[in-house]
Amino acid sequence: MRILVIDDYLNVEMALRGILDGHTVAGVRDPAVLPRMLAYEEPFEAAIVDLRYVQSAATGLTALATLRELSPSTKTIISTTDEEENRLLYLLAAFQFFEPRALLAKRADAFVTRAVVEAVGRGDPSPSPDADPFRRAAATRPPLLDQLVHNRTELGIWQELARFDKRLQIASAAHVHPRTLDVFTAAKGAAIDVVAAHFPRPGRGTEPVTDADADAGGAGPGAAHGANLIRVIHFARTHEQFFADAEVAGLLEASWRSR
C-alpha cells in the first residue's frame, strides 16, 4: 500500500516508515505543498494527516480539502496528540466536513498504528474506536459544531469573546445588543455542556478567566449571565485559533448555505 504522511516533523515520517515496513511511505512537511506533490506522484491508497503545523498557517483541514479535490480515492487518517485541548473543534470540523476513516493518537504504539493503517487500507468500517465520538458528534442533528457556531454573527461573537473580558466590550465589538450576548452565552453554555458530555476531560471549563469575574457578581447582567460569560470566554480562548481561522469560516459558511 502507498501511504502519504503529512506532518511537519520528519521524525514522525521516519518512525512511520519503520512501523509500516512492507508498505511504500512518502511524506510532505506542509499541506500547502501537497498539490505540487500530488501532481507528479502515483496515487496514494492512504494518508496520515497531522492536524496542526508549527511553521504553517495550513492545518489538517487544508490537507483533507486538498486530498478530497485532487486525490478523492485516498483514505485519510487523522493523527494528533491527546494533550492538545485546542484540537477538539478542528477534529469536529474534520469529521463533519471530510469524514476521515480513522483517528490515530501519536502516542499509539507500533502494533496499534500498523493495525489501524492496515484496517483502513482493507476498508474496515470502524478501524479506530477513538474516531467514534467524533462520528457521533458529526451525525447529531444539528451537528455538534453547528450547535456551537450557527451563523456568521455567532462566529463573530466567538472571535470577540477571545479578545475581551467585559460584557459591554464584547457586545460592542461583535455589533450585537448586550441582551443578545446574554442569550448567546446561555445557549453556548448549554452547547459546551454537550461538548463535555461527548468528550469528557477532567477540569474542562473550570479555569478562571481574568477580569470576567467582575461581571459574575450581582451587578450588570447578573450572576447567571456572568457565570455563563466566564465559561464561554474560557472556551473561546481555548479555541481562539479555530474561531479565527479563515478556512474554518469558509467551511462553516458553506454548511450554513446548504441548510
Side-chain angles (χ1 to χ4, degrees):
M1 182 164 57
R2 285 176 50 78
I3 302 165
L4 175 61
V5 178
I6 309 170
D7 196 295
D8 48 353
Y9 290 104
L10 178 61
N11 63 334
V12 172
E13 178 188 333
M14 299 307 295
L16 287 168
R17 285 179 185 270
I19 292 168
L20 301 171
D21 62 300
H23 299 286
T24 300
V25 177
V28 293
R29 308 279 76 78
D30 185 342
V33 305
L34 189 54
R36 189 161 64 249
M37 180 187 195
L38 293 174
Y40 65 79
E41 283 280 354
E42 292 294 319
F44 293 94
E45 283 86 1
I48 301 173
V49 182
D50 190 19
L51 196 60
R52 305 291 293 277
Y53 299 81
V54 175
Q55 301 296 328
S56 175
T59 69
L61 301 180
T62 311
L64 292 169
T66 300
L67 288 167
R68 182 169 66 183
E69 179 184 359
L70 301 180
S71 186
S73 64
T74 300
K75 301 169 184 175
T76 54
I77 302 166
I78 297 290
S79 174
T80 187
T81 59
D82 294 340
E83 291 75 20
E84 294 179 279
E85 188 182 17
N86 58 11
R87 76 189 181 123
L88 177 60
L89 298 191
Y90 277 102
L91 283 171
L92 284 174
F95 279 87
Q96 179 171 330
F97 298 120
F98 300 106
E99 301 180 354
R101 301 298 181 93
L103 176 60
L104 182 62
K106 290 192 175 183
R107 59 171 168 74
D109 62 27
F111 176 81
V112 170
T113 299
R114 188 178 184 97
V116 168
V117 172
E118 292 187 342
V120 167
R122 291 192 302 270
D124 289 2
S126 184
S128 70
D130 289 346
D132 292 342
F134 293 96
R135 289 200 184 95
R136 288 194 294 269
T140 59
R141 290 292 175 265
L144 185 49
L145 194 58
D146 282 20
Q147 295 179 45
L148 287 168
V149 195
H150 191 66
N151 53 42
R152 174 165 279 283
T153 298
E154 291 194 351
L155 181 59
I157 294 173
W158 279 118
Q159 291 167 351
E160 302 308 332
L161 283 162
R163 297 176 60 215
F164 298 107
D165 291 324
K166 301 293 188 180
R167 172 178 177 260
L168 295 180
Q169 280 182 314
I170 296 163
S172 175
H175 307 291
V176 298
H177 193 280
R179 286 195 294 271
T180 300
L181 178 63
D182 296 339
V183 172
F184 173 91
T185 57
K188 300 316 170 184
I192 291 168
D193 287 337
V194 177
V195 172
H198 272 83
F199 308 100
R201 187 181 185 124
R204 183 185 294 280
T206 61
E207 295 82 347
V209 182
T210 63
D211 293 340
D213 291 278
D215 278 338
H225 291 157
N228 284 328
L229 184 63
I230 291 170
R231 293 191 70 205
V232 296
I233 285 175
H234 171 66
F235 193 84
R237 292 183 178 177
T238 298
H239 303 286
E240 180 177 4
Q241 183 175 347
F242 178 87
F243 291 123
D245 191 314
E247 186 168 23
V248 167
L251 290 169
L252 291 171
E253 288 179 354
S255 174
W256 301 329
R257 290 194 300 269
S258 67
R259 287 179 188 146

